[in-house]
Amino acid sequence: MRDFHVHSNYSDGKFLRSMAQAAASAGLEGVGFADHCNVATRDHHASMRSVYGFNLDLTYERRRRGIERLREEFSLEIYDAVEMDYDPRDEAAIDAFLSEAGFDYAIGSVHDVDGKNVQVSSHFDAMSEAERDAVVDAYFEQLVALVESELFEIAAHVDLLERTPPLRGRATDDHYRRVARAFAESRTIPELNAGRALSDVEVVHPSDRFLSILREYDVAVTVGTDSHRPSELPDRAAFLADFVDETGLEPVDPDGLAA
């Protein structure tokens, strides 16, 4: 079992060493640090980077030195990765940064639609039904563009809207099939993401319905606990191990890494 999606203090997680220790204690063979990153220069994103400190584009070399030290200390594979916010307007900047940084692999994520984080319910509470449906349409348009960009090895939490009550359940089979077709023609693979699997909402990404459609199109998946704290990692890793065993899935590794 390898976990290709955890966070550290280089974005919104805990210290690198404590996350690596949690992975080793959980019996994992490998762990991938995929801290948040955004290279957009628009005012909103620049402001959010300042507030939340998501500056991996400025600190990845320092984190890389930390990862190299951890590799000497722990007997598990430790991957140097990134979770990059995707917007079609930023493709050139993303491509340039990823080419320069040379990560082991890159995870692409759609977190925002029209400047609104799709995980924040308050953004959508006052919207009409039609407006909410438009947000869902825009989310999946952006997700398809992410996959078709061929910039990433992995696409994270591909139905992130399911975390958000005003948007939950609004995705249609047509949305899912369009994304599945894009994955089937791309090197990018979706992840089984356990970031909310053990929470009150019990959301597994992708949902059962979405996962069934991905399997129809013979789309492979990888795995990520999306852990931000050491205490989260063991239970989420165990959940994913049981999940793939129960479903008969055989997760693959991103772009040639050992699964």
Side-chain angles (χ1 to χ4, degrees), residues 23-34:
S25 297
L28 298 184
E29 295 180 0
V31 64
F33 287 104

Side-chain angles (χ1 to χ4, degrees), residues 1-258:
M1 178 70 183
R2 293 169 190 251
D3 180 358
F4 294 109
H5 185 169
V6 305
H7 296 275
S8 79
N9 55 301
Y10 281 84
S11 59
D12 56 348
K14 296 299 183 181
F15 290 124
L16 275 173
R17 190 184 183 284
S18 61
M19 297 302 291
Q21 181 62 65
S25 297
L28 298 184
E29 295 180 0
V31 64
F33 287 104
D35 283 300
H36 292 287
C37 186
N38 189 308
V39 294
T41 57
R42 294 176 293 282
D43 288 346
H44 167 72
H45 295 287
S47 174
M48 295 301 285
R49 281 158 52 90
S50 298
V51 170
Y52 292 103
F54 290 0
N55 296 304
L56 192 66
D57 57 320
L58 304 178
T59 61
Y60 73 92
E61 292 176 311
R62 180 179 298 174
R63 191 192 69 168
R64 184 166 291 163
R65 291 194 292 271
I67 287 174
E68 289 170 354
R69 293 191 64 177
L70 293 178
R71 286 170 174 162
E72 297 174 358
E73 181 178 351
F74 293 96
S75 59
L76 76 164
E77 295 290 334
I78 302 177
Y79 304 115
D80 173 22
V82 61
E83 181 180 359
M84 176 67 69
D85 285 333
Y86 173 82
D87 185 301
R89 293 172 290 183
D90 302 321
E91 282 194 7
I94 293 170
D95 189 18
F97 172 64
L98 293 180
S99 297
E100 171 192 322
F103 294 107
D104 291 331
Y105 58 90
I107 300 175
S109 298
V110 176
H111 289 107
D112 293 357
V113 171
D114 295 330
K116 295 180 175 65
N117 188 312
V118 298
Q119 300 176 90
V120 180
S121 292
S122 60
H123 290 325
F124 314 104
D125 284 338
M127 285 186 173
S128 67
E129 299 297 301
E131 288 172 329
R132 292 175 182 176
D133 287 341
V135 171
V136 175
D137 288 341
Y139 172 84
F140 283 102
E141 287 280 348
Q142 201 160 314
L143 180 59
V144 168
L146 181 157
V147 177
E148 291 179 343
S149 75
E150 299 292 352
L151 289 169
F152 309 103
E153 284 73 29
I154 298 173
H157 37 60
V158 290
D159 51 357
L160 188 63
L161 307 177
E162 296 302 305
R163 296 184 181 183
T164 311
L167 305 175
R168 186 177 301 146
R170 292 180 176 274
T172 67
D173 284 3
D174 286 342
H175 289 126
Y176 292 157
R177 289 187 184 281
R178 186 176 176 205
V179 176
R181 287 192 294 270
F183 276 124
E185 297 174 1
S186 174
R187 75 185 182 101
T188 305
I189 54 177
E191 64 171 5
L192 294 173
N193 181 293
R196 295 293 185 277
L198 302 178
S199 68
D200 291 342
V201 296
E202 297 183 333
V203 170
V204 181
H205 305 290
S207 66
D208 288 344
R209 184 159 56 102
F210 196 0
L211 181 58
S212 177
I213 289 172
L214 290 170
R215 297 181 81 171
E216 280 183 36
Y217 285 80
D218 200 27
V219 173
V221 297
T222 189
V223 290
T225 67
D226 204 352
S227 296
H228 293 69
R229 297 171 179 80
S231 59
E232 296 170 343
L233 197 153
D235 288 344
R236 291 183 185 181
F239 170 86
L240 286 173
D242 290 341
F243 187 89
V244 299
D245 185 54
E246 291 168 5
T247 56
L249 289 165
E250 296 183 3
V252 300
D253 57 278
D255 202 32
L257 297 175

